[in-house]
Amino acid sequence: MKCKSESQLLSEDVVIDVLTRLSVKSLLRFRCVCKHWYSLIINSRFITNHLHQSSNSARLLVYHYTTTAEKNIIFSLFLDETLASFLLLHYDFDDVQVPNELGMLGSFNGILGLWHWDRIALWNLATREFRKVLMPKPHLPSHFYVYHCYYGLGLDPATTDYKVVLIRNYWDREKNDPYFPRVVTVYNLFTDSWRLFEDSSPSSFVYESSSNTYMNGLYYWLTNDDTNQFYAILSFDMRNEVFRHVPGLPNLSQMECGVVVMYIDSIALIYFDRQKAEKHFDIWVMEEYGCWTKQLTIGPLLDVEWPLGFWKNGELFLKTGTEDLVLYDQNTREIKNLQHHECDIFMYKESLVSVSGENKGREGEDRSNMARLKDSLPFHPRGTQKISNG
């Protein structure tokens, strides 16, 4: 196929419209057709249009992995209500020995975030790009250790840069108490750099999000209010890099359980009593920033333990007491066992988004520079520091 012949038959707009409807696999091949198509397909505007094309519908990534002698990771992908065959993919964490050492921190715009103790990795499942990133290590006494990490993966709408916010809770063995302030660092993909700043959020505990709870430049976690008795919502602004408590959530007691999820195109809180055999799940939706409405109640449901998130038409994913993944349909009130055990779920869309940033092709140099700089953070962070990988 020659680009000149194609351009004489079709207008540029038509060519672009057709290309944006194709799969990532096809587009990676079509980059080799000619220089013109190559420049079209790697263009940031084309990548954005392809990502949001209606034909590129959301999929469910069922995350469960096992290790093998060949150091492979096994994912299963849930496509259009049909379980696809397992994907067997090589990964680049060379010292993972047992399950639960490798976790997923989220999926956003086709990028999967993985973590393993002292590093994270950004992985585009469709293009097979994989990038390891060492996490900065603050200077803390040896009797301090990390007892929990929380992540947020999202986009800075001002710069279109992808960011990872990392919140680490440290425990002081000598005092047998948590250490405050928490250590907060932010990673920028474009510059391949970390920044450290003192945690100014007033809450004392943060709960993991059940799915990637990013929306309009903000990432959301469930947390507690100043009294440590009721739930609150903590947001992180990817543009300004500041934490805020989201107002307006009713006084929902921490004596019961809460999970922050995405509900259609809104941030939502699922509130329930885990101790009851028959469970009712109250769904609170944030229709506008700080404006919460109780949308619906699902239940009573038997033999379920924990909500994981919503699917396209409002179906609710749940875990049973035996760690089975099930799907509850609100319309038919039926529960379908999806034949997966001990797994997590994430919404996933194919994309051409590169995880290389601006330093593509310099992995050896990046690792060398990061090794020299990873221990350079101060004991008491003040203001903002930038650690550049070259």
Side-chain angles (χ1 to χ4, degrees):
M1 182 183 297
K2 294 183 179 180
C3 291
K4 286 187 178 180
S5 299
E6 161 264 314
S7 63
Q8 291 170 358
L9 295 173
L10 300 172
S11 69
E12 181 89 339
D13 290 343
V14 172
V15 172
I16 292 175
D17 184 61
V18 171
L19 290 176
T20 56
R21 299 173 188 272
L22 300 179
S23 68
V24 169
K25 183 177 180 180
S26 296
L27 291 170
L28 292 178
R29 296 202 325 267
F30 290 164
R31 288 187 308 182
C32 302
V33 170
C34 63
K35 291 182 179 180
H36 180 59
W37 278 27
Y38 178 83
S39 64
L40 279 178
I41 293 169
I42 67 169
N43 181 273
S44 59
R45 182 176 296 179
F46 178 90
I47 292 172
T48 300
N49 291 339
H50 175 266
L51 175 67
H52 299 295
Q53 172 62 243
S54 58
S55 59
N56 188 16
S57 59
R59 304 172 180 187
L60 181 74
L61 182 70
V62 180
Y63 172 66
H64 176 79
Y65 91 95
T66 56
T67 55
T68 69
E70 294 77 25
K71 291 293 181 184
N72 287 309
I73 180 168
I74 300 175
F75 281 92
S76 56
L77 197 59
F78 193 83
L79 301 173
D80 301 325
E81 300 183 355
T82 303
L83 278 172
S85 58
F86 284 100
L87 297 173
L88 185 63
L89 301 170
H90 187 73
Y91 68 88
D92 197 19
F93 282 115
D94 47 18
D95 55 355
V96 176
Q97 299 298 326
V98 296
N100 301 323
E101 283 192 354
L102 185 68
M104 186 177 285
L105 58 94
S107 169
F108 179 68
N109 284 1
I111 298 176
L112 307 181
L114 303 173
W115 64 265
H116 178 246
W117 297 114
D118 63 345
R119 79 202 78 172
I120 63 172
L122 300 178
W123 187 14
N124 186 317
L125 189 62
T127 65
R128 305 298 178 92
E129 278 191 333
F130 189 94
R131 182 185 192 127
K132 280 197 299 186
V133 181
L134 287 173
M135 294 189 294
K137 185 179 179 181
H139 282 165
L140 293 173
S142 59
H143 59 271
F144 282 65
Y145 71 93
V146 177
Y147 70 92
H148 225 304
C149 293
Y150 306 94
Y151 301 87
L153 173 61
L155 182 73
D156 181 342
T159 63
T160 67
D161 189 5
Y162 288 85
K163 294 183 177 181
V164 178
V165 55
L166 167 62
I167 306 171
R168 281 176 284 185
N169 289 340
Y170 280 83
W171 190 268
D172 185 340
R173 286 192 182 94
E174 290 187 352
K175 296 182 178 179
N176 198 28
D177 251 340
Y179 166 74
F180 287 101
R182 294 168 297 198
V183 177
V184 180
T185 46
V186 177
Y187 175 75
N188 286 65
L189 176 61
F190 285 178
T191 58
D192 189 24
S193 63
W194 288 94
R195 281 176 316 289
L196 170 73
F197 56 94
E198 187 171 352
D199 176 20
S200 59
S201 61
S203 58
S204 60
F205 198 79
V206 176
Y207 303 89
E208 281 186 88
S209 299
S210 182
S211 55
N212 202 67
T213 46
Y214 167 92
M215 185 176 177
N216 297 332
L218 300 174
Y219 197 95
Y220 297 88
W221 297 271
L222 186 67
T223 183
N224 53 327
D225 67 1
D226 294 334
T227 68
N228 290 331
Q229 296 179 8
F230 299 100
Y231 284 124
I233 301 293
L234 183 69
S235 71
F236 181 79
D237 190 325
M238 292 282 180
R239 183 198 302 258
N240 301 315
E241 298 186 354
V242 293
F243 288 98
R244 293 190 184 92
H245 264 151
V246 181
L249 188 67
N251 285 340
L252 302 177
S253 171
Q254 290 183 222
M255 297 299 291
E256 298 183 6
C257 294
V259 180
V260 175
V261 299
M262 296 298 300
Y263 179 72
I264 308 177
D265 291 321
S266 299
I267 298 294
L269 169 66
I270 303 178
Y271 185 67
F272 64 103
D273 189 340
R274 192 176 189 181
Q275 302 303 316
K276 291 184 178 179
E278 276 193 345
K279 291 184 174 56
H280 293 79
F281 298 97
D282 294 334
I283 317 301
W284 290 84
V285 174
M286 188 172 68
E287 297 178 344
E288 297 178 7
Y289 188 84
C291 181
W292 293 86
T293 303
K294 187 177 178 180
Q295 189 80 12
L296 72 155
T297 297
I298 296 175
L301 298 179
L302 282 169
D303 302 321
V304 295
E305 288 296 318
W306 196 265
L308 296 177
F310 288 95
W311 190 223
K312 296 178 182 178
N313 299 314
E315 300 99 330
L316 179 62
F317 288 102
L318 300 139
K319 274 187 180 179
T320 68
T322 55
E323 293 289 319
D324 289 327
L325 177 65
V326 299
L327 182 64
Y328 174 74
D329 190 320
Q330 298 178 47
N331 296 320
T332 64
R333 298 187 179 182
E334 293 179 347
I335 294 180
K336 179 181 179 182
N337 193 314
L338 300 178
Q339 307 301 318
H340 274 278
H341 186 71
E342 294 184 353
C343 59
D344 292 310
I345 63 167
F346 298 90
M347 299 303 108
Y348 169 76
K349 292 182 75 172
E350 276 196 349
S351 84
L352 289 159
V353 174
S354 174
V355 299
S356 305
E358 295 180 345
N359 294 318
K360 186 175 181 180
R362 298 169 56 191
E363 293 180 359
E365 181 182 343
D366 291 346
R367 282 196 294 268
S368 175
N369 286 333
M370 193 60 187
R372 290 195 298 269
L373 293 168
K374 67 176 182 177
D375 293 326
S376 63
L377 299 181
F379 173 49
H380 290 295
R382 290 292 182 266
T384 298
Q385 282 205 12
K386 180 176 179 181
I387 301 179
S388 175
N389 295 350

